[in-house]
Amino acid sequence: MSDQRREPAGEHPVQPPTEPGTALHLALVLLVAASGAVEAISFTALEHVFAGVMTSNLALLGMAIGRGQATGVTAAVLALTGFALGAAVTARLTRRSGDAGPGWPAPVMYCLTGEAVVLAAGAVIWAAMGGTPGQTARDALQFGAAATMGVQSAAMVAAGRAAAPTTYLTGTLATYIVRGVGAGRPNRWVPAQLAALMVGAGVSMLLLREAPGWAGVLPVALVVCAILTAAAPVIRMRRGPSGS
């Protein structure tokens, strides 16, 4: 009889965690750019609250209460509620996400697809109103924008080591300075993410000024590109054996 030991049925050797590949890093950069675009629309064209930065929204809520501004209170509460709902639903859908190998787990990809669908619906509403929605539409769009950022934030948490924050980069910047620059091991993708946030917001502002009805298309396009980029390694891996 052979002395070779076989793996028990249904069990696989545990693989050490690996760093995300280039495709996933690029997907993260695209998602950051999308969040920058959404934040520009949310803060400047809706009710002057953020779609994905809840720390700032809590401060804005406190200021609105202190000033007795009902509109500011409503906007902040809508953003906080939308973000929380989006994050909670995503957490529920991704709670059993496992290791997806070279890509993000399927539930994460499904949630990002759902984010793109909601953003697309918002873009259609925005375009139909010529980029100047009324109060009720602004409230609905504010809630939806915050919900998409909640989805995106929770999806990146569920993706684990293969992802990073994409809607709130204060911690990313602090970690880069302390563990990167301070320790002499800077992560070259962090500057790309910070630049993407500014570029996404800047292009969004340009569209709001020059072609306001089209401003909602940019976040949709960026999220779709991120999904396709993140899916590329898995597609190549599945096609590899059949093509050989």
Side-chain angles (χ1 to χ4, degrees):
M1 295 181 63
S2 171
D3 292 333
Q4 291 182 342
R5 296 182 179 178
R6 297 181 179 178
E7 293 291 335
E11 294 186 7
H12 302 278
V14 177
Q15 299 294 332
T18 58
E19 292 299 322
T22 300
L24 293 188
H25 279 298
L26 289 173
L28 288 171
V29 170
L30 289 167
L31 287 178
V32 171
S35 71
V38 172
E39 295 294 12
I41 296 172
S42 175
F43 192 81
T44 62
L46 294 177
E47 297 296 346
H48 299 290
V49 294
F50 296 99
V53 188
M54 294 303 108
T55 304
S56 296
N57 283 343
L58 288 169
L60 290 171
L61 176 59
M63 289 187 287
I65 293 173
R67 293 173 179 173
Q69 295 177 336
T71 301
V73 171
T74 301
V77 169
L78 283 171
L80 288 162
T81 305
F83 185 92
L85 178 61
V89 171
T90 302
R92 174 96 178 159
L93 295 175
T94 60
R95 70 186 187 280
R96 295 182 180 177
S97 297
D99 183 13
W104 290 329
V108 169
M109 299 294 283
Y110 296 150
C111 288
L112 291 176
T113 302
E115 175 191 357
V117 171
V118 175
L119 285 172
V124 170
I125 296 172
W126 183 269
M129 297 185 174
T132 56
Q135 183 62 57
T136 301
R138 285 203 304 273
D139 288 345
L141 289 168
Q142 184 70 72
F143 183 87
T148 62
M149 292 298 96
V151 169
Q152 186 171 307
S153 296
M156 292 300 95
V157 172
R161 287 175 57 90
T166 57
T167 61
Y168 183 61
L169 301 186
T170 301
T172 299
L173 177 59
T175 301
Y176 176 74
I177 294 172
V178 174
R179 297 182 182 176
V181 177
R185 299 188 300 274
N187 182 342
R188 63 190 177 94
W189 288 102
V190 171
Q193 293 173 12
L194 297 174
L197 186 68
M198 293 186 290
V199 171
V203 175
S204 184
M205 285 301 299
L206 180 63
L207 287 172
L208 283 170
R209 186 182 66 193
E210 301 296 336
W214 290 91
V217 176
L218 178 61
V220 182
L222 289 169
V223 172
V224 170
C225 288
I227 293 169
L228 295 176
T229 302
V234 177
I235 295 172
R236 285 197 299 267
M237 182 182 68
R238 292 178 178 177
R239 287 181 178 177
S242 60
S244 58

